[in-house]
Amino acid sequence: MLNIFSVRKDSTTESEKAAALPAKDETMRIEGLDISYGSNHAVKGVKMSIKPKSVTAFIGPSGCGKSTLLRALNRMNDEIDGCRTDGVVSWKGVNILDPKVDPVALRSKVGMVFQKPNPFPKSIYENVAYGPRIHGITDKAQLDKIVESSLRNAALWDEVKDRLEESAMGLSGGQQQRMCIARALAVEPEVILMDEPCSALDPIATAKIEDLINELKKDYTVIIVTHNMQQAARVSDYTGFMYLGELIEFGETEQIFQKPKEKLTENYITGRFG
Amino acid sequence: MTEKFHEELSELKKQVEDMGELAKEMLETSIKALKEQDVMLAKSIIAKCETIRILDHTIEEETLKLITLHQPMASDMRLVATMLKMITYITRIGRYGNDIAKIAIDLSEEAHIGKLVSLPQMSAIVCSMIDDALLAFETQDISHIADFKEREDTIDAMRYSIYREGISYMMENPKYITRCTQYILIARYLERCGDHACKMAEKIHYMVTGEHKEIDYKSCCSPNQDTF
């Protein structure tokens, strides 16, 4: 188990108090989350809880703050100059926004898959083995096992098992994206963040990723940002609709797409704006 | 694209309203033809049956096309689902109008038994339900369908009364059997049309509120369902 949280027991801070252990039916709890890029207030007072082993989708028009919100969940916004994050993202009893939390270790437990597949210019095997190696696993047999199970879990093993040493750059777009998911799985995350994972893929590759998401939720908590409302409706259990930085409505996907409570959500999903 | 979708959706909704009007007119006119023993009027109804069939077919096709091309959501999805169900109920109402018109022709050669008051009265209530269902559909105002259970109960009672009356006439004089059987059949058709109006009302309630509710039919038991 990686030591993500370097929080000492004798030094309980206000931030730690705020991040009391989430309830049993939630894996992450977000409270009063505000994110700004300079003077641009991108996420405003978001409060929600994420259910474990489920798929949660964030939808909303461009610039509504959904990707910013997603990136806050594994501190990817730390890499953006001028980005300020306030509030609490409670996970395992710790506010992961606390500066004492090691973001690199956090990201191994809260993995991320990006819009465009980003394979390293290495072999398929090395791409998947990269994370475990960084975390100190050097034993070849153990790495082989991790690579195989990760590729199997990403529904890619059968397609690449005979060419693991070939460059990952030679895979199709859909295969590259599934390999990126395998790479994220190789470090044994608990939560997987996906930022529009299918927007660069054709319909067949998209269908494979959607099937994969459905499989992944048996073992992982998946949080996905998508522009494609039909995709959100197909793959997610819970959906949050964001608009101008605010979380307008959050609920079960079926309810959001059949009978939204907020007029703004209704107007967005029926295409009356956005 | 979204604007085009909403234009097409509005156009389809208008077609469903027109189709409903046509079916109601067929039913209303068939009873008029029956009462007045007007064969020409009855024949004009039978000619309209094909129009109802074509409308059912084309609206269904257009609606399925909209689903395929635009994958409607929320209130749009509920409207589309409601239209698909409504055209079936409307088609059946139109067909009952057609069936009554055929009976009207058969019964046109001899005088009615009595003044034939109950069937037109029953028809007036059924037609008012169809009117109100269509109005609720058009305006999205479910207050028009709020008393459907009471009206449905009245129709049931009228059907039973006509049945009893018909049986009495038949027992009195066997030569009335054919004619009275047809009256009883028409009462049954009208009652079914009332049921279809109720089913439309249930779907319209869902379309407007997103909640499924069943009209609490006396003859039907659904203990766990929300009812009107």
Side-chain angles (χ1 to χ4, degrees):
Chain A
M1 176 75 184
L2 291 157
N3 179 22
I4 305 170
F5 313 116
S6 55
V7 180
R8 291 193 304 275
K9 279 184 180 170
D10 58 348
S11 64
T12 310
T13 63
E14 286 307 308
S15 166
E16 288 156 32
K17 282 178 196 163
L21 273 173
K24 273 186 181 171
D25 62 344
E26 62 183 16
T27 188
M28 261 187 188
R29 192 172 64 234
I30 302 165
E31 282 179 64
L33 187 67
D34 281 279
I35 306 173
S36 307
Y37 300 109
S39 60
N40 176 21
H41 199 172
V43 173
K44 300 170 187 168
V46 167
K47 182 183 177 189
M48 68 193 304
S49 75
I50 306 288
K51 305 269 187 228
K53 296 190 178 174
S54 65
V55 181
T56 301
F58 296 150
I59 59 168
S62 296
C64 70
K66 56 191 187 293
S67 289
T68 302
L69 170 62
L70 187 81
R71 285 198 305 265
L73 305 183
N74 74 345
R75 300 263 300 268
M76 287 297 280
N77 289 328
D78 289 11
E79 314 302 321
I80 300 170
D81 287 339
C83 181
R84 180 190 159 89
T85 306
D86 295 302
V88 173
V89 177
S90 170
W91 190 51
K92 294 178 181 291
V94 170
N95 179 9
I96 60 171
L97 303 180
D98 192 312
K100 283 187 286 185
V101 171
D102 174 7
V104 176
L106 170 70
R107 286 170 204 155
S108 73
K109 288 290 157 194
V110 184
M112 192 156 198
V113 177
F114 298 89
Q115 190 169 2
K116 207 175 156 207
N118 52 352
F120 304 143
K122 291 171 178 283
S123 69
I124 297 165
Y125 183 97
E126 285 304 322
N127 263 274
V128 182
Y130 188 83
R133 270 197 223 282
I134 292 282
H135 289 109
I137 298 172
T138 52
D139 178 61
K140 177 77 168 73
Q142 197 181 348
L143 282 173
D144 286 353
K145 206 173 155 189
I146 292 171
V147 169
E148 182 176 341
S149 69
S150 303
L151 287 168
R152 277 190 192 281
N153 288 340
L156 189 59
W157 174 253
D158 289 341
E159 292 166 55
V160 300
K161 64 184 176 192
D162 299 324
R163 47 176 177 145
L164 291 174
E165 297 309 321
E166 287 178 22
S167 170
M169 309 302 281
L171 295 172
S172 70
Q175 287 173 325
Q176 285 186 7
Q177 192 63 305
R178 277 180 285 148
M179 193 211 65
C180 291
I181 292 171
R183 199 170 60 193
L185 299 180
V187 291
E188 297 181 335
E190 291 177 35
V191 180
I192 302 169
L193 310 177
M194 297 185 171
D195 192 355
E196 302 207 33
C198 302
S199 63
L201 306 181
D202 65 39
I204 293 169
T206 297
K208 284 188 178 175
I209 298 283
E210 288 179 4
D211 288 342
L212 176 57
I213 291 170
N214 202 36
E215 282 298 308
L216 288 174
K217 77 171 180 183
K218 291 175 187 165
D219 298 307
Y220 307 92
T221 302
V222 179
I223 307 171
I224 180 172
V225 160
T226 176
H227 260 122
N228 183 335
M229 280 182 292
Q230 279 73 32
Q231 180 172 68
R234 280 192 299 266
V235 304
S236 71
D237 303 298
Y238 301 93
T239 298
F241 166 60
M242 294 191 68
Y243 184 61
L244 299 176
E246 290 179 32
L247 182 66
I248 304 296
E249 189 169 354
F250 181 62
E252 289 184 10
T253 296
E254 205 175 293
Q255 176 255 313
I256 295 284
F257 285 102
Q258 286 189 28
K259 201 179 62 174
K261 289 179 184 144
E262 300 296 330
K263 189 70 189 157
L264 212 50
T265 316
E266 168 87 33
N267 287 346
Y268 178 69
I269 64 177
T270 56
R272 286 179 169 85
F273 81 89
Chain B
M1 205 58 188
T2 310
E3 208 169 300
K4 185 169 170 274
F5 163 65
H6 286 120
E7 275 171 20
E8 287 177 11
L9 198 57
S10 297
E11 176 55 34
L12 268 181
K13 185 168 181 258
K14 181 77 179 63
Q15 282 185 38
V16 173
E17 288 162 22
D18 292 346
M19 185 184 171
E21 277 299 324
L22 177 62
K24 189 214 72 176
E25 188 195 311
M26 286 171 72
L27 189 68
E28 204 168 36
T29 316
S30 69
I31 293 292
K32 189 167 186 272
L34 174 79
K35 184 168 172 64
E36 295 173 4
Q37 299 190 298
D38 186 337
V39 175
M40 290 305 287
L41 193 59
K43 283 183 176 169
S44 73
I45 296 157
I46 295 166
K48 285 174 185 166
C49 200
E50 180 63 3
T51 312
I52 285 279
R53 193 191 65 79
I54 292 168
L55 277 171
D56 180 31
H57 183 71
T58 51
I59 294 174
E60 182 180 320
E61 255 192 6
E62 287 302 312
T63 310
L64 292 175
K65 198 168 92 186
L66 274 191
I67 293 172
T68 312
L69 296 181
H70 301 281
Q71 293 107 37
M73 299 264 192
S75 58
D76 292 341
M77 181 275 293
R78 298 201 303 269
L79 170 58
V80 166
T82 300
M83 289 196 300
L84 272 178
K85 296 294 280 188
M86 275 183 70
I87 55 173
T88 304
Y89 302 134
I90 291 171
T91 301
R92 286 179 184 164
I93 290 170
R95 281 188 191 161
Y96 281 126
N98 181 65
D99 292 342
I100 294 170
K102 283 179 182 167
I103 295 173
I105 294 169
D106 288 346
L107 300 184
S108 63
E109 287 175 3
E110 283 182 36
H112 287 302
I113 302 165
K115 289 182 179 171
L116 201 74
V117 173
S118 300
L119 285 173
Q121 272 180 354
M122 196 176 167
S123 164
I125 298 173
V126 172
C127 288
S128 79
M129 290 173 79
I130 300 167
D131 271 339
D132 287 341
L134 292 172
L135 188 60
F137 176 68
E138 186 192 341
T139 60
Q140 307 224 351
D141 179 356
I142 54 171
S143 68
H144 298 295
I145 54 175
D147 65 344
F148 265 36
K149 183 187 176 302
E150 287 75 23
R151 286 196 252 180
E152 170 67 10
D153 289 346
T154 307
I155 288 169
D156 281 347
M158 291 180 87
R159 185 199 63 80
Y160 187 60
S161 161
I162 290 167
Y163 168 76
R164 295 275 305 260
E165 201 181 339
I167 295 287
S168 302
Y169 276 117
M170 286 191 265
M171 285 164 70
E172 229 170 70
N173 187 346
K175 83 169 189 181
Y176 289 151
I177 287 177
T178 306
R179 186 165 283 269
C180 284
T181 305
Q182 298 287 37
Y183 292 153
I184 291 170
L185 208 54
I186 291 169
R188 172 69 181 149
Y189 291 167
L190 289 172
E191 188 216 353
R192 290 299 299 139
C193 290
D195 289 345
H196 290 313
C198 287
K199 294 307 286 179
M200 284 201 279
E202 287 172 2
K203 298 301 162 195
I204 292 159
H205 188 277
Y206 167 70
M207 177 186 84
V208 175
T209 66
E211 304 282 344
H212 287 284
K213 272 194 178 179
E214 271 198 14
I215 293 174
D216 187 18
Y217 302 104
K218 275 182 177 170
S219 56
C220 151
C221 49
S222 50
N224 297 323
Q225 283 277 359
D226 284 342
T227 53
F228 276 24

